[in-house]
Amino acid sequence: MFLRFAAACLCGVLWAQASRPAPQALFEQAASALQRGDLAEAEKLFAAFVAGQPRHVGGLGNLGVVYSRQGLPAKAAEVWERALKLAPGDPGLRTNLGLAYLRLEEYGRARMALEPVRTPQGRELFASAQLYGGDAVGALRTLAPLADSPGVLYLRAVAELKTGRKAEAATTFDRLVAGALDPDQVA
């Protein structure tokens, strides 16, 4: 009797394992769903993957991306915080987390996430967190070495206005507008 019970349990366990996709296959299915824009399916699959692989940084990171694309920055931030504990130096995670906190208007937390990121995008987002968090002077210091992209010019002009540098702000806004216009449109 005991042997029949043990054999039935073993068969049940083996069947359950065989009916579930392997973790790598599950991750690939989730990534495919995300790539084709099926966010509901991607969420379901990445959540299942993370449930079985709770320390997988890529699974957590992608689940955060799904939440972010669904317009759920608080859920995305929560998942990216978990991932960041596993990979504290990851600039992509820090950038995504900082962006989520900017969307939530949590500028102090955005600054903490973005401060160590040295990519141009990370520095621009860090300057945004500084500026909207009330540190226009710090934002100007952060923006100074960055190339003049439209985002950098806009932030620089706003920071100049906030620090009372109206003439510099006008010049920066002129550069922003001139760069946005087609040369054939300028008279």
Side-chain angles (χ1 to χ4, degrees):
M1 187 67 156
F2 175 74
L3 288 176
R4 280 190 208 160
F5 177 73
C9 287
L10 180 59
C11 285
V13 167
L14 292 175
W15 180 81
Q17 287 179 346
S19 67
R20 277 185 283 160
Q24 184 61 33
L26 185 59
F27 185 91
E28 289 171 7
Q29 290 171 6
S32 177
L34 178 58
Q35 187 173 28
R36 68 177 181 273
D38 187 348
L39 297 179
E41 182 70 5
E43 178 185 2
K44 180 182 85 170
L45 293 171
F46 275 123
F49 177 81
V50 167
Q53 306 285 321
R55 298 183 55 79
H56 193 281
V57 175
L60 290 165
N62 280 297
L63 183 56
V65 168
V66 169
Y67 289 141
S68 180
R69 289 186 184 172
Q70 290 174 328
L72 303 168
K75 284 183 86 169
E78 180 183 319
V79 173
W80 285 326
E81 286 282 5
R82 285 175 45 203
L84 205 55
K85 287 178 183 170
L86 301 170
D90 188 299
L93 286 173
R94 287 188 164 282
T95 299
N96 285 338
L97 180 61
L99 187 54
Y101 283 135
L102 282 171
R103 288 179 178 151
L104 293 167
E105 298 180 14
E106 294 184 25
Y107 304 119
R109 293 177 91 176
R111 285 175 69 161
M112 286 176 39
L114 292 163
E115 198 283 323
V117 179
R118 296 293 173 229
T119 64
Q121 179 189 28
R123 299 317 297 155
E124 185 176 333
L125 291 171
F126 180 67
S128 295
Q130 289 176 299
L131 179 61
Y132 296 116
D135 182 10
V137 172
L140 284 171
R141 274 195 305 271
T142 300
L143 293 166
L146 298 181
D148 286 347
S149 70
V152 168
L153 288 172
Y154 174 78
L155 291 171
R156 188 175 293 139
V158 172
E160 288 166 345
L161 280 175
K162 287 187 175 272
T163 57
R165 302 175 191 171
K166 292 179 182 177
E168 291 95 333
T171 301
T172 304
F173 273 125
D174 286 345
R175 289 174 47 212
L176 174 62
V177 171
L181 296 177
D182 184 316
D184 294 332
Q185 294 174 324
V186 179

